[in-house]
Amino acid sequence: MTDQRIAPESDLRTGHATQAARLYYFQDMTMAAIGRELGVSRSTVSRLITFARASGLVEIKISTPLGQAPRIERAFADLYDIRAHVVPVSETVDELQRLDRVATFAGRLLTSFFESDMVMGVAWGTTVSAVSRKLAPKRTHNSTVVQLNGAANTRTTGVSYATDIVRTFADAYGAVAQGFPVPAFFDYPETRQHLWRERSIKRVLELQDRMNLAVFSIGVMSGAVPSHVYSAGYLEREDRAELQRDGVVGDIATVFLRSDGSHDRIALNDRSSGPSLDRLKVVPRRVCIVAGASKLDALTAALRGGLITDLVIDDISAAQLILRSRG
């Protein structure tokens, strides 16, 4: 008896999409010509190519020749020695729409940065959560996505929120998801010091130390789209007052910094579970994603501190920051 096995429908669709994409991108065939070759309609070819892009079978990368980057992106390189990825956004859109446009761009860009055998660190927050929903799938091997800072506070464990973000990143790349089940802020610095000695926690910290890529945004207290750490009950009134006294303008992964980029002698940092900013600076690629002018003071501080290698930002905010920097 002959063993006849029928391929799953998903496998057939993937095969057809791969064939259509190769004909379209590598042989410059029109959709109508591909349809005739495959025996399907032009609209079916269009759906197959759309599926190929959305599922990660096709990656589209735009390379800008050296010295020909757009003016604002060149300005970031000249002023801060970073690579800026400026996202065109209409002045008529609201802050949520602006965030959505920037998150969509970042979700596609990260796919070109993350490869097999890499470790990606992810700091939870409103912006990174938006990016997690826009990731372009890509299959990698022996890769890991690790949470950078704890999420528990006195009102909630924060586990589901942070874990969902990390797992969504990991699922997009076929990577292992590693959570960090500790508070966002400890009540006492000594508690953190003792917990950091535990083998289960040291394993996560060692994984963070192996990061090739860190993904984060900038947290600020105000703005049309408030940062999660400030809007979800992580800071008491006394904490906010203390941050103001310390001259804090924002945070990265719940580690706070001043306008000049410094972060030493900020008391709350001794209780934070996020990586020290000195540790963050040794990560080879550090991608910061920002949408909206409310974060520009904190973003400028991070740039002054040398904490960013790649910046994804909307064009309106980018232009404002460059004007401030040159003013």
Side-chain angles (χ1 to χ4, degrees), residues 272-317:
S272 172
S273 61
S276 76
L277 299 185
D278 288 332
R279 282 179 66 207
L280 184 66
K281 286 174 69 172
V282 303
V283 179
R285 174 161 257 157
R286 307 177 299 277
V287 183
C288 180
I289 304 153
V290 171
S294 63
K295 296 190 174 186
L296 291 186
D297 288 341
L299 174 57
T300 302
L303 291 169
R304 288 171 176 163
L307 299 169
I308 298 168
T309 62
D310 290 78
L311 172 66
V312 182
I313 186 172
D314 64 279
D315 57 350
I316 298 172
S317 300

Side-chain angles (χ1 to χ4, degrees), residues 4 61 64 108 115 129 133 149 151 167 183 190 218 223 228 235 266 293 302:
Q4 294 182 337
K61 182 178 180 181
T64 302
R108 303 302 187 267
E115 304 288 348
S129 178
R133 298 189 292 271
N149 49 326
R167 188 168 298 282
E190 304 81 35
I218 304 285
H228 193 77
L235 298 173
I266 296 174

